[in-house]
């Protein structure tokens, strides 16, 4: 059994005991433990079940590469699935549960998959669940969904806070092992601004476990002196618990700081995402030990050799009284020595190599450990934990020569440099024959903005696996034993988390997969949350062998960020709840809220859709608002309307290019409706333009269009007509704007008092400056409803007060606020188009019968050439007309007008579509506008619109103006 | 007529830094370039010289910031705007320029305290270590445009009025006690 | 995420402070142009793997459009320059050729 040793443990504080629970069982550990160390100290070897076969799984590693020991951490609003026990710091009160089993970890029904394993080979999804078709949805998918997946998704909103921060440096060093520390110090000595990140809570990397001294000093002394030196410098920032997980263009790096994972609920942000911009990046990210592929290499108790010595040295945890070491390189001998030093038994070291005469093997022999060379593990014995190993010759086919009883197996298949950060932006790799690993090719680094190398790898990440400088030779051992038959190969796990075995990769190769990228997707090798940190190299080596190719020819899969999983909370940062995205509010927003407005998004704006009263549905409220505005008085918050000032000697010429109509001839004091098109000729915006003075115009845009149109204007002024003397300013937010609409509109302004707004003083399509109720206002006599209407602009700081004054003064006149839906219905009753309804980026003004707003005289305007294209000039285009259903019903939104026959896909042919469709409370029937082929020539014809239910609805073609055709209501 | 009301009516938050919405302030966008009367016109309104690129010239409660090669932001007490607009019109008469009152289009925040910079470091892709005294930096705060500069042991931040409550939310989130960088 | 230095205000702006404007130095063809000319103006884009000229706007800064010469394959930036030119200035071409000796402007012979 695994247990806590009486002495040692450099990272634990025995004076600070902590209690935690695993599946409800209470355990004790110490501050400084990882959760994995705490579990092992309590003999919890079995920690989870595998993804596909539900095999019992234990802890394999001691770092972020851990594929098996993932748990549901926390409960309720602090539940996080798939947390790696090997990087989770233990704290008092920690609660976790194991994953992927039913009904219990010890007795799991899903394990039948294990016995059915030969029916679940690589690609079984693609092969098995094809027929019969209906089975997928009702049988296969529900079953697979229940049995697949790891942790449980939390059901409550996350109780924690997250944030992000931007930081800049000359040099970013990722990894505070010896190599990283040295690199940071060297740059700091040169006065550079240095940031040093370490994913673990402590610095030092593997050195304190694997080395006795650095530069002639004891390791611990060297590290503390270095840490003190760096911390004392103003130009160095050291951040522990911070994983630099992704490198992006031009020195951009993202790092995840686990601020309060180990102190949940203390008020600090749980994680902080650092957005780092570094002049240069040094990846001192070390190397990850590889497993060996032998039968039963996934049984709890089989661990990486480096992890075994980490648990012994760092946490004083024994994996078992007897540990067999199996290796193809010298580094695993350190584990044997560490176990011995801790008073534990190492029955044998099985070394696949024919000879092992380095310093470490010699030291092991000297310590009395039995070293067997040329040997392999034929099979690990045991189920939920290791009970022994069967030994065979590496060169053979697995004939058992000897059985050795043990509780743990420490394996080392060599080391893979962590080249992820080097590779994220395209750094290339070389296959290093000496250490059987991919290493960075310094000649082909990822490039920075100036063409220099953006990333440099140092230390083990560069393939320098022995800090003493001697390259440690690691011969390739990809399958153990070399000639293992299929019975053994299909018990050799490559990818523990996704349950991919040697036999699966070999099957893929037999089935014709030659690309490593395809094999990965077919077998799911390396596609789990650990992203193949342990499995990728072993897997592609097996693939290369099966294909009879060399490893460099097969190549690796692409390394993509993040290096380790990052919680969504950190990526979202502050963008949650109220500040998920900016909500733009008008100055009258609070008043609308008080009035019970139901809001709808218009771009980022929130505008009242309607103002429902008690007991009213939204539809009823909208209809009331329409009728009241048409008979009494309606008030609309029109503040969101875009307002752009255009001024200069060439402003008229500029606006004549921008609009399809002529704006240069507009007299001062008057307003004119205008259309803007893009260069393809398609309508992009519309609005009323007012001439303010000789060289100043005010352009109104749609609510969603202000920023876009302002940018559009600046684009043309800066990039095409840069010699024209024109300035623009977006003053949308300077003004609150209130539309006063309805038969009583003028009366309201007269009650407010201060200006002559009579028909004579302020006729339709004119504007005037003045004061109303003491407020400085600009009044535009324009109408988007067909009613007598004034749009009144006041400085935004007075917007709320002015709105209130209008509401108050309007009480006696029947004033009610109305929302955007009422606005839409009223404009549709009048046949006014709406950008985004009648237009969709493929509609030109001529399609909408707006030829009157297009100048025939102008030689040029934006979109004119585009509109001359034969397709757009064709008489066969769908054109805007009105529709009235024969039965008075409302045509469904999005309906098409069907034509005779069917197309190649068997769908009904179409000849048009609806663009705006409403119930008109004024006319008490459905009204609609839409585009119809040859529309204006087909007045009176009856056409059919399809409906959601599958039938059609008949409607008569008519003109688009349903209400007050002669404009008598607005011209009073 | 009522008194002008700023976007958040002077909201504030006390975290590890102090956040205050201030204003309303008078602000004028002046677009002009290479005009011979520009020095005089700006001097007349703010009492400052024309700022160098990316700089702000501050004189008491008046200031002039460089916004782009042909745009300046003139800041002054709200009540003085009308008079200032008249002064600009007079000083720049006959020269191609655009002066508009944008006092009501903006919201202004003060972020104060020893660690005021940390509040902004969480929101803006700006190298605050290299921000120079008198530098006006236009960038974004999370998802919206913002301009900032250092002033009186703190920072002043200007954004659009409609997003004032979003920005207040950002600053409040970033200044939470215990979240110091 | 790219960094481009705005030639107007000198800010080394990151991509999130900028808006892309796609290929630079397009010649506008309006009414009277042939279908081929209009097609080239509207739709034909070089989309090269290598040296490219692009429009960018410093949207969250000074609001100005500027042009950038960069390599679409390696993301190296050779330089940025104001938008009020119809072809890249000589100093930008020199900077490109310093790092891409084989590269030649292609607008001299394409009309």
């Amino acid at each position: 059994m695994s247990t806590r040793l009486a002495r040692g443990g450099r990272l634990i504080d025995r004076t600070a005991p902590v209690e935690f629970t695993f599946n409800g069982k209470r355990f004790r550990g110490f501050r400084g433990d990882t959760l994995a160390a705490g579990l092992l100290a309590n003999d919890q070897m079995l920690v989870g079940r595998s993804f596909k076969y539900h095999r019992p799984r234990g802890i394999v590693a001691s770092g972020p590469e851990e594929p098996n020991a993932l748990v549901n951490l926390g409960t309720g609003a602090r539940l996080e699935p798939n947390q790696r026990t090997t990087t989770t710091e233990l704290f008092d009160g920690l609660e976790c549960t194991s994953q992927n089993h039913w009904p219990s970890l010890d007795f799991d029904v899903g394990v039948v998959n294990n016995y059915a394993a030969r029916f679940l080979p690589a690609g079984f999804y693609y092969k098995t669940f094809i027929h019969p078709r209906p089975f997928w949805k009702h049988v296969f998918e529900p079953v697979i969904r229940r049995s697949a997946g790891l942790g449980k998704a939390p059901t409550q909103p996350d109780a924690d806070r997250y944030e992000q921060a931007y930081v800049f440096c000359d040099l970013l060093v990722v990894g505070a092992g010896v190599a990283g520390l040295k690199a940071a110090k060297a740059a700091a000595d040169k006065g550079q601004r240095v940031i040093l990140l370490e994913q673990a809570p402590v610095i030092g990397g593997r050195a304190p476990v694997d080395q006795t001294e650095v530069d002639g000093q004891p390791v611990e002394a060297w590290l503390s002196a270095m840490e003190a030196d760096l911390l004392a410098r103003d130009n160095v920032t050291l951040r522990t618990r911070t994983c630099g997980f992704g490198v992006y263009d031009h020195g951009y790096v993202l790092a995840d700081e686990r601020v309060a994972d180990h102190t949940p609920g203390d008020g600090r942000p749980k994680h902080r995402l650092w957005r780092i911009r570094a002049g240069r990046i040094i990846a001192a990210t070390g190397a990850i030990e590889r497993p060996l592929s032998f039968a039963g290499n996934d049984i709890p108790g089989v661990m990486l050799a480096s992890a075994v010595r980490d648990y012994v040295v760092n946490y004083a945890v024994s994996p078992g009284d007897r540990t067999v070491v199996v290796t193809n390189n010298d580094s695993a001998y350190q584990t044997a020595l560490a176990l011995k030093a801790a008073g534990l038994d190492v029955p044998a070291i099985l070394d696949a190599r024919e000879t092992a005469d380095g310093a470490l093997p010699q030291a092991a022999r000297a310590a009395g450990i039995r070293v067997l060379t040329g040997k392999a593990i034929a099979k690990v014995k045991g189920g939920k934990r290791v009970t022994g190993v069967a030994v065979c010759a590496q060169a053979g086919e697995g004939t058992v020569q000897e059985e050795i009883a043990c509780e743990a197996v420490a394996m080392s298949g060599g080391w893979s440099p962590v080249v992820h950060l080097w590779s994220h932006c395209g750094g290339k790799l070389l296959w290093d024959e000496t250490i059987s690993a991919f290493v960075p090719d310094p000649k082909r680094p990822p490039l920075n903005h100036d063409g220099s190398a953006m990333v440099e790898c140092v230390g083990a990440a560069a393939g320098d696996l022995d800090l003493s400088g001697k390259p440690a030779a690691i011969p390739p051992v990809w399958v153990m034993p070399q000639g293992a038959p299929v019975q053994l190969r299909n018990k050799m796990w490559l990818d523990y988390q996704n349950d991919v075995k040697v036999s699966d990769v070999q099957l893929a190769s037999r089935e014709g997969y030659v690309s490593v990228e395809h094999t990965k997707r077919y077998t799911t090798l390396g596609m789990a949350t650990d992203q193949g940190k342990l499995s990728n190299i072993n897997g592609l080596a097996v693939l290369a062998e099966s294909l009879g190719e060399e490893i460099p020819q097969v190549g690796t899969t692409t390394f993509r960020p993040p290096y380790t999983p990052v919680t969504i909370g950190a990526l979202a940062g502050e963008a949650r709840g109220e500040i998920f995205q900016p909500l733009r509010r008008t100055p009258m927003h609070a008043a609308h809220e008080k009035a019970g407005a139901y809001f709808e998004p218009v771009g980022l704006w929130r505008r009242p859709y309607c103002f429902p009263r008690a007991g009213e549905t939204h539809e009823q409220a909208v209809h009331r608002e329409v009728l009241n505005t048409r008979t009494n008085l309606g008030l609309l918050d029109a503040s969101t309307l875009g307002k752009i000032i255009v001024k200069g000697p060439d402003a008229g010429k500029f606006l004549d290019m921008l609009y399809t109509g002529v704006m240069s001839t507009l007299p001062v004091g008057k307003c004119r409706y205008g259309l803007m098109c893009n260069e393809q000729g398609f309508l992009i915006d519309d609005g009323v333009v007012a001439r303010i003075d000789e060289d100043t115009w005010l352009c109104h845009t749609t609510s969603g269009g202000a920023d876009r149109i302002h940018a559009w204007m600046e684009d043309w002024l800066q990039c095409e007509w840069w010699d024209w003397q024109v300035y623009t300013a977006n003053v949308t937010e300077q003004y609150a704007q209130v539309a006063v609409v309805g038969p009583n509109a003028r009366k309201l302004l007269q009650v407010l008092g201060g200006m002559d707004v009579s028909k004579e003083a302020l006729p339709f399509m004119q504007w005037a400056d003045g004061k109303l109720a003491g407020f400085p206002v600009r009044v535009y006599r324009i109408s988007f409803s067909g009613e007598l209407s004034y749009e009144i602009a006041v400085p935004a700081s007075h917007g709320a007060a002015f709105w209130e004054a209008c509401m108050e003064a309007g009480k006696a006149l029947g004033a009610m606020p109305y929302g955007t839906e009422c606005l839409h219905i009223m404009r549709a009753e009048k046949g006014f188009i709406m950008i985004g309804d009648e237009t969709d980026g493929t509609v030109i003004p001529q399609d909408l019968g707006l030829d009157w707003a297009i100048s025939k005289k102008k030689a040029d305007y934006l979109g004119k050439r585009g509109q001359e294209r034969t397709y757009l000039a064709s008489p066969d285009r769908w054109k805007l007309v009105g529709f009235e259903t024969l039965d008075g019903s409302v045509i469904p939104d999005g309906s098409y007008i069907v034509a005779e026959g069917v197309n190649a896909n068997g769908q009904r042919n179409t000849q048009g579509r609806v663009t705006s469709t409403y119930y008109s409370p004024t006319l008490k029937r459905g009204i609609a506008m839409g585009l119809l082929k040859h529309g204006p020539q087909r007045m009176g014809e009856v056409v059919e619109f399809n409906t959601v239910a599958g039938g059609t609805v008949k409607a008569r073609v008519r003109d688009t103006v349903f209400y007050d055709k002669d404009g008598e209501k607005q011209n009073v | 007529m009522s008194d002008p009301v700023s976007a958040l009516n002077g909201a504030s938050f006390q975290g590890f830094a102090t956040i205050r919405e201030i204003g309303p302030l008078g602000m004028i966008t002046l677009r002009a370039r290479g005009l011979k009367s520009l020095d005089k016109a700006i001097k007349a309104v703010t009492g400052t010289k024309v700022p160098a690129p990316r700089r702000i010239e501050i004189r008491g409660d008046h200031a002039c910031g460089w916004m782009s090669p042909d745009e300046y932001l003139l800041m002054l007490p709200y009540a003085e705007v009308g008079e200032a607009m008249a002064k600009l019109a007079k000083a720049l008469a006959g020269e191609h320029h655009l002066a508009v009152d944008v006092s009501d289009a903006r919201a202004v925040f003060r972020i104060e305290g020893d660690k005021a910079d940390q509040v902004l470091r969480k929101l803006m892709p700006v190298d605050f270590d290299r921000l120079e005294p008198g530098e006006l930096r236009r960038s974004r705060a999370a998802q919206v445009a913002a301009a900032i500069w250092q002033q009186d042991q703190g920072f002043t931040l200007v954004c659009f009025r409609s997003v004032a409550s979003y920005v207040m939310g950002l600053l409040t989130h970033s200044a939470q006690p215990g979240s110091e960088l | 995420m790219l960094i481009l230095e705005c030639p107007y205000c000198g800010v080394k702006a990151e991509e999130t402070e900028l808006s892309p404007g796609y290929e630079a130095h397009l010649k506008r063809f309006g009414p009277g142009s042939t279908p081929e000319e209009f097609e080239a103006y509207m739709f034909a884009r070089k989309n090269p793997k290598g040296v490219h000229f692009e429009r960018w706007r410093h949207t969250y800064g000074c609001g100005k459009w500027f042009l950038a010469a960069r390599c679409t394959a390696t993301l190296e930036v050779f330089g940025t320059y104001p938008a009020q030119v119809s072809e890249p200035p000589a100093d930008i071409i020199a900077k490109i050729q310093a790092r891409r000796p084989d590269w030649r402007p292609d607008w001299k012979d394409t009309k």
Side-chain angles (χ1 to χ4, degrees), chain A residues 161-164 166 168 193 268 272 580 582 584-585 647 714 728 733-734 774 776 797-798 801, chain B residues 1-2 5 31 97 101-105 121-122 124 126-127 129-130 140 143 161-162 165 173 176:
Chain A
R161 309 173 53 243
Y162 300 84
E163 64 180 29
Q164 306 188 347
Y166 296 84
F168 296 74
R193 205 160 34 145
R268 295 186 298 163
R272 181 181 290 128
F580 169 66
R584 299 178 72 183
R585 293 171 167 90
K647 184 189 176 195
E714 283 293 322
T728 69
E733 300 208 12
Q734 170 67 14
S797 302
H798 297 290
Chain B
M1 190 179 93
S2 59
V5 180
R31 294 202 60 183
H97 75 282
D101 178 3
V102 293
S103 314
D104 298 78
R121 283 173 199 261
K122 295 180 188 180
M124 306 182 74
V126 169
D127 188 351
D129 295 343
R130 298 286 183 267
R140 61 179 177 85
Q143 302 173 53
R161 181 186 184 105
S162 66
S165 87
H173 185 274
Q176 285 299 320

Side-chain angles (χ1 to χ4, degrees), chain A residues 305-326:
Chain A
S306 56
V308 169
R309 61 184 185 272
D310 283 346
Y311 288 115
V312 172
V313 176
N314 286 335
Y315 308 104
V317 167
S318 154
D321 288 352
R322 295 166 297 180
T323 303
V324 168
V325 175
V326 56

Side-chain angles (χ1 to χ4, degrees), chain A residues 603-669:
Chain A
L604 293 174
W605 290 104
R606 285 294 178 275
R607 298 190 70 182
Y609 173 92
C610 62
F611 294 84
R613 294 176 169 179
E616 258 183 352
T617 65
H618 292 168
E619 190 182 25
Q620 288 165 340
V622 168
H623 293 170
R624 170 180 51 76
E625 290 168 15
V626 171
L627 292 173
N628 184 68
T629 305
R630 292 241 183 264
T631 52
N632 295 308
L633 181 59
L635 297 176
L636 174 78
D637 178 358
S639 307
T640 58
L641 205 67
K643 308 162 200 83
I644 300 169
I645 302 271
V646 178
K647 184 189 176 195
D650 296 314
K653 177 164 82 166
F654 174 62
L655 293 177
D656 284 350
M657 281 303 293
L658 217 61
Y659 286 94
T660 59
V662 182
M663 292 301 167
S664 55
T665 59
L666 179 65
V668 172

Side-chain angles (χ1 to χ4, degrees), chain C residues 25-104:
Chain C
H25 303 303
L26 298 177
K27 179 172 162 33
R28 178 173 186 260
F29 284 96
S33 57
T34 66
E36 291 73 24
E37 284 168 335
F38 187 72
E39 180 195 24
Y41 160 53
M42 213 67 252
F43 304 113
R45 296 293 177 267
K46 292 175 179 163
N47 194 25
K49 180 179 181 181
V51 176
H52 195 33
F53 302 91
E54 290 175 331
R55 289 156 24 91
W56 289 86
R57 185 179 185 221
H58 193 189
T59 307
Y60 282 95
C62 67
K64 294 300 180 197
W65 282 96
F66 64 89
L67 307 181
R70 66 180 190 100
C71 176
T72 57
T74 65
L75 306 188
E76 287 167 85
V77 178
F78 305 110
T80 55
Y81 51 101
Q84 293 78 35
V85 289
S86 52
E87 56 187 47
D91 65 314
I92 294 287
I93 292 172
K95 281 181 194 165
I96 297 169
Q97 288 180 330
R99 282 200 252 151
R100 299 284 188 279
D102 296 337
W103 178 83
R104 292 284 172 274

Side-chain angles (χ1 to χ4, degrees), chain A residues 78 83 93 120 269 336 345 363 382 485 558 565 595 633 702 737-738 760 810 867 893 900 968:
Chain A
R78 289 211 161 84
Q83 293 304 295
L120 302 173
D345 189 18
T558 310
L633 181 59
T702 56
Q737 201 141 319
V738 180
E760 296 70 33
Q867 289 162 0
D893 248 322
E900 286 305 311
E968 286 165 358

Side-chain angles (χ1 to χ4, degrees), chain A residues 161-170 193 239 259 267-269 272 274-275 573-575 578-587 604-605 645-649 695-696 710 714 718 724-735 771 773-776 795-798 801-802, chain B residues 1-6 24 27 29 31-33 35 70-71 78 95-106 118 120-130 137 140 142-144 160-181:
Chain A
R161 309 173 53 243
Y162 300 84
E163 64 180 29
Q164 306 188 347
Y166 296 84
V167 67
F168 296 74
C169 62
D170 300 314
R193 205 160 34 145
R239 284 197 188 273
V259 181
R268 295 186 298 163
R272 181 181 290 128
W274 288 94
R275 298 172 171 269
E574 83 294 335
E578 264 298 294
I579 53 172
F580 169 66
Q581 65 173 184
L583 296 189
R584 299 178 72 183
R585 293 171 167 90
T586 74
L604 293 174
W605 290 104
I645 302 271
V646 178
K647 184 189 176 195
D695 62 356
T696 310
H710 183 234
E714 283 293 322
Q718 291 177 34
W724 294 12
Q725 289 200 305
V726 182
Y727 284 127
T728 69
N730 184 352
V731 294
T732 301
E733 300 208 12
Q734 170 67 14
Y735 300 100
K771 288 206 165 182
F775 291 90
S797 302
H798 297 290
F802 182 70
Chain B
M1 190 179 93
S2 59
D3 288 334
V5 180
S6 68
M27 290 196 194
T29 287
R31 294 202 60 183
R33 185 168 198 175
L35 303 186
D70 57 8
E71 182 178 336
Y78 190 87
E95 296 188 86
H96 173 46
H97 75 282
L98 168 63
V100 284
D101 178 3
V102 293
S103 314
D104 298 78
R106 308 280 161 80
Q118 295 190 6
L120 298 175
R121 283 173 199 261
K122 295 180 188 180
L123 300 171
M124 306 182 74
V126 169
D127 188 351
F128 279 87
D129 295 343
R130 298 286 183 267
R137 180 71 149 89
R140 61 179 177 85
Q143 302 173 53
V144 296
F160 283 109
R161 181 186 184 105
S162 66
V163 294
S165 87
Y166 170 74
V167 170
M168 186 70 196
L170 294 177
L171 295 170
T172 302
H173 185 274
S174 298
Q176 285 299 320
S179 71
E180 293 89 342
L181 296 180

